Amino acid sequence: MPNIQIKDVPEATHAVLRQRAAAAHQSLQEYLLSRLVREAAQPTVDEVLDRAAGRAGGSLPLAGAVNALRAERARR
């Protein structure tokens, strides 16, 4: 499994992370690994938009969809 090393972490940041790891009953390494795994599992907005753009489907442009939604809401 690959390793990651982070150098020059500010002391205050290191202290906060150690406290959070202790509060979670984890070593600092376990705590940071769980945070990194969670971060990598959550797609960014750009990744979500890229995936959505690549899907086949409707041909209505965004502006048309917004207008249709507004019109439907106005009818209620």
Side-chain angles (χ1 to χ4, degrees), residues 17-53:
L17 292 171
R18 285 183 59 83
Q19 289 172 351
R20 290 179 183 172
H25 305 290
Q26 295 178 315
S27 69
L28 181 57
Q29 181 175 334
E30 290 169 326
Y31 178 77
L32 292 174
L33 177 59
S34 69
R35 298 293 302 238
L36 288 171
V37 168
R38 230 177 308 148
E39 174 68 23
Q42 185 69 32
T44 66
V45 171
D46 287 339
E47 290 168 342
V48 171
L49 293 175
D50 286 345
R51 257 188 301 195

